[in-house]
């Protein structure tokens, strides 16, 4: 019991540290995109932190899987290097008993990851996309980007050169095609946005309005001040159900399966995403068993330690690659769906068998060595 607690506590500590390190690395890599987006849309530090928090469940898939892998690898490599495993085995403990703390720990994190992928991820990612749209459209001056032609609707286009600050823009051009007989083009030196009752207004200063008619000479009107309303632009842009494509991460397992039955062309995409969540949830257990089997069932030596780590990393990378390749295969052909489960489940059963029947494995390995000799 004391040995179990000793191994479990050490492995838990290393696993948590590994998960935090991986989350930190992912956070840094994703922060550049978030910061750029927030700065462009006039956001603040609170917006950045909220978007990061809502993104966290999406990062946990890779963070937990490889966090468990590195945590168990570090812990059992330390026990192996310091010859503690030899002492424990000499006292009568079997490989399955020594592996039990790592198995239980990885099983706990697999359950956590399963709940995260099936329950927390759809909710958080949907909130993330909605809040991202909220940042994008909450400030009228940030609905439009500088130096980009923006179609307000089917009949109106706006363009401006610069944002002088959060309220003022300069070098404006607007084309209005609502009247089929006349095309209105407006040029203005500067303008400012303001919103009222979920409607955006643009106040133009020092501009020229050109009204073109097919059969007549264009009418040119200079003005000092003009106000243009953009009816319901905020509400229409923030209506996610109308304008935003719902991504896979926003759907639950059952919603993905339901959508897969609606169209044969997209059936594979939805099924591969739905069932890959189950596979990703058991990867911490798979990676842990690979590490435990190869460390506990091998002899200790300086050379073998190096080779063991190479073999362990190779197995883990190969397993992850096979899962990705199989998922892509299911996307194109749903007949490969059973294969998505076959590889990780086979690895789990094989590793558990090797740990349980340690003496039988040693007997086979010794016979192979005798034959080769």
């Amino acid at each position: 019991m004391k040995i179990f607690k000793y191994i479990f506590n050490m492995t838990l500590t290393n696993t948590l540290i590994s998960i935090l390190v991986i989350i930190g690395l992912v956070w840094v890599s994703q922060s550049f995109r978030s910061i750029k987006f927030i700065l462009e849309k006039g956001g603040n530090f609170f917006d950045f932190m909220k978007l990061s928090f809502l993104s966290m469940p999406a990062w946990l898939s890779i963070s937990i899987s490889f966090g468990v892998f590195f945590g168990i690898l570090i812990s059992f490599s330390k026990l192996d290097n310091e010859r503690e495993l030899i002492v424990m085995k000499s006292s009568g403990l079997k490989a399955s008993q020594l592996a039990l703390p790592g198995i239980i720990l990885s099983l706990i994190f697999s359950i956590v990851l399963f709940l995260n992928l099936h329950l927390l991820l759809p909710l958080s990612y949907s909130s993330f996309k909605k809040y991202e749209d909220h940042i994008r459209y909450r400030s009228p001056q940030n609905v439009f980007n500088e130096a980009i032609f923006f179609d307000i609707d089917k009949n109106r286009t706006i363009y401006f050169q610069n944002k002088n600050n959060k309220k003022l823009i300069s070098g404006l051009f607007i084309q209005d095609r609502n009247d089929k007989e006349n095309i209105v083009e407006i040029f203005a030196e500067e303008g400012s946005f303001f919103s009222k009752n979920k409607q955006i207004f643009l106040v133009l200063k020092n501009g020229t309005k050109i009204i073109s008619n097919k059969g007549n000479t264009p009418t040119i009107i200079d003005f000092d001040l003009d106000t243009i309303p953009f009816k319901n632009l905020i509400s229409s842009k923030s209506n996610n159900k109308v304008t935003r494509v719902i991504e896979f991460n926003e759907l639950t397992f059952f919603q993905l399966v339901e959508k897969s039955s609606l169209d044969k062309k997209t059936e594979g995409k939805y099924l591969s995403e739905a069932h890959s969540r189950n596979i990703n949830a058991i990867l911490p257990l798979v990676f842990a068993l690979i590490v435990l089997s190869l460390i506990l069932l091998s002899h200790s030596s300086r050379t073998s330690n190096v080779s063991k780590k190479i073999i362990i990393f190779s197995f883990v990378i190969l397993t992850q690659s096979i899962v990705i390749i199989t998922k892509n295969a299911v996307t194109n052909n749903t007949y490969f769906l059973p294969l998505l489960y076959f590889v990780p489940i086979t690895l789990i059963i094989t590793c558990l068998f090797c740990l349980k029947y340690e003496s039988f494995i040693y007997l086979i390995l010794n016979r192979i060595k005798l034959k080769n000799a």
Side-chain angles (χ1 to χ4, degrees), residues 196-240:
K196 184 179 181 181
N197 298 326
K198 293 186 177 181
Q199 184 173 346
I200 292 179
F201 294 89
L202 175 60
V203 178
L204 302 175
K205 296 179 180 180
N206 302 325
T208 300
K209 183 181 293 186
I210 302 175
I211 304 174
S212 302
N213 186 285
K214 295 180 180 178
N216 300 316
T217 304
T219 301
I220 301 175
I221 303 172
D222 294 325
F223 62 86
D224 295 325
L225 194 69
D226 192 10
T227 301
I228 300 176
F230 298 144
K231 295 182 179 179
N232 300 323
L233 183 62
I234 295 178
S235 59
S236 64
K237 288 296 177 181
S238 60
N239 189 343
N240 295 310

Side-chain angles (χ1 to χ4, degrees), residues 80-81 83 86 299-310:
D80 193 17
N81 293 334
R83 302 296 186 264
I86 296 177
H299 296 287
S300 296
S301 69
R302 184 171 297 180
T303 304
S304 65
N305 282 337
V306 176
S307 61
K308 273 187 289 187
K309 287 183 175 62
I310 294 174

